[in-house]
Amino acid sequence: MEYQTERMQTFQTGKPVTDQFYMDHDYNVPDAKEDVREVILGAGSLMPEDVRVVENYVKITGKLKFRVLYVTDAAERTVSSLEGRIPFEEMVCLEQETIGNLAVVPVNVDVTATVIHSRKLQIRAVCDIAVHTEETVETEITTDLTEDKDAGEAPLYKRYEERELLSAFASKRDIFRIREEAALEGTKENIETLLWTEVNLRKFDTRLEEDGIRLQGELKLFALYDAGEGKTDWVERILPFEGRTECQGAEETMYHQIFPELAEVSVEPRMDEDGEMRVLSVEAALEIRFVVYREIKVSVLEDLYCLQKTCVPEIREEQAEQLLMQNHSKCKVSEQLSLPEIKDNILQICHSSARIQTESVRATDEGLQIEGVLHVSFLYIKADDQIPFDTWQGMIPFSYTLESNETTGDMDYGLTEGVEQLSVNLLGSDEIEVRAVLAFYCFFKRPVTVPNIESVAFQPVQAEELEARPGIVGYIVRSGDRLWDLAKRYQTTEESIREVNKLENGEIKTGDKILIFKENMSIL
């Protein structure tokens, strides 16, 4: 007896555990930096360096990298900046056994810097991280059994079912290096010292191609700089990029999930052809995790029997997946806000940024109902020569239905999101308009079970059992009956039932009256 199998792989992710922790640290201003009078802006990012499993916990150690933009406490008020790193250690309790690889994803970091005195700052941070397990599980599904005719084996009657299953072709982590340059416009002052930079990923899109994934997107660059002689200027640019990451064997007809994260960003000024500091060199590492899937049609051997022997198959239920839908969708957010607290104080908006905080995701008949908040902030010039810059932060709630052609309660939707476009415009002295385009990427799949015949044992049929089998059975078809089930139950064949009852199309329906003859007894 020879077994024919189809190899399948499923990419399984454990339930994510979101952990929030706080950091409170006093930081001494470096000697090379000027005294601090007032903080304008603070920002930070987590850099996990070591991840270990300790019993039922995940121990994460690393550093918080923070930056502070401030007004100096000097005779002539100027804008300056500083940055530093604070070590952290966090224990995250897992709700399940750790199997496979651990993935730690920083979700959000809110940094607040307050002045203790001119040479010391208090750095407070609220940090959110998500931890989950992921692994690729390989199984072999039995698709057929081949009898050895020379060995005189009794013929087998087999039932197959066609299944469309999703198999993980490859899972990989990679780093895509981005190097771009932005030249200053002619009206801009030369760069003396960079004070503050921000680089965000926008309009990120991917597509599969032969042996790889094509990457395309934009970097939104903002740079605030000291132009010398007490002048401060800024520049904002959109830097498109394109490239690919390798994935041997990938094809355009496959499907993929991708999880990007912009890291290791650096912005440095450099000279142009005339020897003036008028070019910004941007380097960034785009860390990507991706899974490539192929959809395959498998003829699964579901059941079998033999007339001369008793078949005892050992069947194991294997976990597999089916693709429901791959959907990339966009949501528009538009809101007008009244800001009386900055009335008659704001002169010009320099830069705006936003991030998405997803509050809840639930499956409905139409698709995924996403509820969340868009956190918006902007840096602006105010009517104060002593402290010319300030920031505003606020939240805009949103609700969006990401459509799906089919939803199930147990489906996995692998949702990722990003801010694709953002504009904050000043309408009046105390009113602004926020317009944003939010991008949602979703890969809908659901778990299914597949009966897998791992082995078959054959036993001789007892004489008493043969005698007890009825020779002729009159049967009224019930709902859900199939010819295969009746043939197996009464130890005959589907072909025999069709011939006896002259079923030309081989179909039966509820209420039909048919005759079933035991095999080798025929009145034809």
Side-chain angles (χ1 to χ4, degrees):
M1 192 74 65
E2 183 179 348
Y3 292 79
Q4 297 179 12
T5 61
E6 177 80 29
R7 183 172 296 177
M8 299 283 301
Q9 291 189 122
T10 57
F11 184 77
Q12 300 178 0
T13 58
K15 182 180 178 181
V17 177
T18 302
D19 179 74
Q20 185 177 84
F21 63 96
Y22 303 87
M23 299 180 65
D24 192 336
H25 184 82
D26 290 348
Y27 180 79
N28 293 321
V29 177
D31 294 339
K33 293 293 182 180
E34 296 184 84
D35 290 356
V36 179
R37 177 180 177 83
E38 183 174 322
V39 172
I40 299 173
L41 182 61
S45 59
L46 284 181
M47 300 185 298
E49 296 174 346
D50 186 49
V51 180
R52 297 184 184 182
V53 178
V54 181
E55 296 181 350
N56 294 329
Y57 290 84
V58 176
K59 181 180 179 182
I60 306 170
T61 57
K63 290 183 175 63
L64 167 70
K65 181 180 179 181
F66 69 89
R67 298 178 296 147
V68 176
L69 183 69
Y70 66 95
V71 177
T72 63
D73 190 17
E76 293 185 4
R77 304 282 189 256
T78 58
V79 178
S80 186
S81 62
L82 59 83
E83 64 178 40
R85 300 188 181 192
I86 302 172
F88 74 89
E89 179 181 302
E90 179 67 6
M91 301 290 285
V92 181
C93 179
L94 290 183
E95 299 177 0
Q96 60 203 11
E97 184 181 356
T98 304
I99 301 176
N101 299 320
L102 276 172
V104 177
V105 182
V107 177
N108 180 57
V109 180
D110 283 330
V111 173
T112 303
T114 55
V115 180
I116 298 176
H117 56 72
S118 61
R119 303 304 298 174
K120 180 175 287 189
L121 300 176
Q122 182 182 40
I123 306 296
R124 291 179 177 175
V126 181
C127 309
D128 295 308
I129 56 175
V131 181
H132 68 266
T133 59
E134 55 186 32
E135 64 172 335
T136 302
V137 179
E138 185 174 293
T139 58
E140 290 191 357
I141 306 296
T142 300
T143 57
D144 206 353
L145 288 178
T146 306
E147 307 101 312
D148 188 349
K149 302 296 184 181
D150 296 335
E153 294 180 355
L156 295 177
Y157 298 94
K158 295 170 282 191
R159 174 172 177 78
Y160 306 91
E161 183 174 349
E162 295 292 334
R163 296 283 195 100
E164 283 193 353
L165 301 176
L166 200 62
S167 180
F169 174 77
S171 61
K172 186 179 177 182
R173 295 172 181 265
D174 202 358
I175 296 178
F176 178 71
R177 301 288 179 180
I178 303 173
R179 295 179 176 85
E180 300 291 340
E181 291 185 346
L184 300 186
E185 297 174 350
T187 56
K188 292 293 181 180
E189 300 283 347
N190 290 356
I191 301 171
E192 182 91 7
T193 307
L194 279 179
L195 300 173
W196 189 267
T197 61
E198 185 176 316
V199 178
N200 294 311
L201 183 63
R202 295 285 188 265
K203 296 184 179 180
F204 183 64
D205 192 22
T206 60
R207 73 175 187 272
L208 280 171
E209 57 185 26
E210 186 176 354
D211 293 329
I213 301 177
R214 176 63 53 180
L215 312 174
Q216 189 173 10
E218 296 177 351
L219 296 182
K220 184 178 180 181
L221 164 67
F222 171 74
L224 182 73
Y225 62 91
D226 180 3
E229 299 180 357
K231 298 179 181 179
T232 304
D233 208 343
W234 66 90
V235 62
E236 198 164 47
R237 289 284 187 278
I238 298 296
L239 306 176
F241 68 88
E242 185 175 1
R244 62 173 273 151
T245 183
E246 299 297 322
C247 181
Q248 290 296 320
E251 300 175 1
E252 294 181 8
T253 56
M254 293 180 178
Y255 304 90
H256 71 291
Q257 277 182 293
I258 193 162
F259 307 92
E261 183 181 351
L262 201 60
E264 299 179 21
V265 180
S266 69
V267 181
E268 299 293 339
R270 73 170 186 83
M271 294 182 181
D272 62 7
E273 295 178 353
D274 298 326
E276 297 180 324
M277 283 292 186
R278 300 189 60 80
V279 176
L280 291 172
S281 176
V282 181
E283 294 189 8
L286 184 61
E287 297 179 356
I288 51 177
R289 298 184 296 118
F290 64 85
V291 185
V292 177
Y293 297 92
R294 60 190 178 101
E295 196 173 29
I296 60 175
K297 292 185 177 180
V298 182
S299 180
V300 179
L301 178 62
E302 283 203 327
D303 198 5
L304 76 165
Y305 68 93
C306 179
L307 298 178
Q308 286 76 26
K309 297 180 181 179
T310 300
C311 295
V312 184
E314 182 180 345
I315 301 177
R316 178 179 175 180
E317 296 288 341
E318 298 288 356
Q319 295 296 318
E321 293 175 325
Q322 281 185 337
L323 176 66
L324 295 178
M325 187 179 182
Q326 186 171 5
N327 190 0
H328 293 181
S329 188
K330 298 177 183 179
C331 165
K332 292 183 178 180
V333 176
S334 180
E335 192 81 17
Q336 291 186 7
L337 302 174
S338 179
L339 310 177
E341 67 271 21
I342 60 174
K343 183 179 181 181
D344 300 327
N345 196 30
I346 181 170
L347 299 179
Q348 182 181 358
I349 295 176
C350 305
H351 170 64
S352 60
S353 61
R355 66 175 179 85
I356 299 172
Q357 179 182 338
T358 303
E359 298 286 352
S360 67
V361 181
R362 59 184 178 88
T364 66
D365 293 339
E366 292 78 24
L368 285 184
Q369 185 64 36
I370 305 171
E371 307 286 342
V373 174
L374 182 66
H375 292 262
V376 181
S377 64
F378 60 84
L379 177 69
Y380 64 92
I381 299 177
K382 62 181 182 178
D384 185 342
D385 294 336
Q386 295 293 315
I387 304 176
F389 293 95
D390 206 345
T391 57
W392 178 89
Q393 297 180 351
M395 298 182 293
I396 300 174
F398 70 88
S399 178
Y400 181 64
T401 300
L402 195 155
E403 296 181 353
S404 171
N405 53 7
E406 184 179 357
T407 58
T408 62
D410 59 350
M411 70 179 181
D412 177 13
Y413 41 80
L415 180 68
T416 59
E417 68 277 330
V419 179
E420 189 165 287
Q421 297 179 31
L422 175 69
S423 67
V424 179
N425 299 312
L426 187 61
L427 299 181
S429 61
D430 63 347
E431 192 173 12
I432 62 168
E433 180 185 46
V434 178
R435 290 186 177 182
V437 176
L438 315 183
F440 295 96
Y441 308 91
C442 202
F443 191 84
F444 296 91
K445 58 181 181 177
R446 67 178 177 188
V448 294
T449 57
V450 178
N452 185 30
I453 298 178
E454 295 188 328
S455 63
V456 181
F458 295 92
Q459 300 173 358
V461 180
Q462 300 297 322
E464 296 81 1
E465 182 183 346
L466 284 174
E467 294 176 359
R469 293 177 183 172
I472 303 176
V473 175
Y475 188 82
I476 300 177
V477 178
R478 301 173 184 174
S479 176
D481 281 340
R482 298 178 299 182
L483 278 181
W484 163 267
D485 300 321
L486 297 177
K488 180 181 178 182
R489 186 189 310 168
Y490 294 106
Q491 287 296 292
T492 184
T493 65
E494 293 181 80
E495 183 180 1
S496 174
I497 297 176
R498 284 195 295 267
E499 290 180 356
V500 169
N501 296 277
K502 303 188 184 313
L503 302 173
E504 295 181 0
N505 57 10
E507 294 181 358
I508 55 176
K509 59 182 182 295
T510 303
D512 284 351
K513 297 178 181 180
I514 61 175
L515 290 176
I516 303 175
F517 287 79
K518 183 168 67 174
E519 191 65 15
N520 298 328
M521 289 188 59
S522 176
I523 61 173
L524 297 180

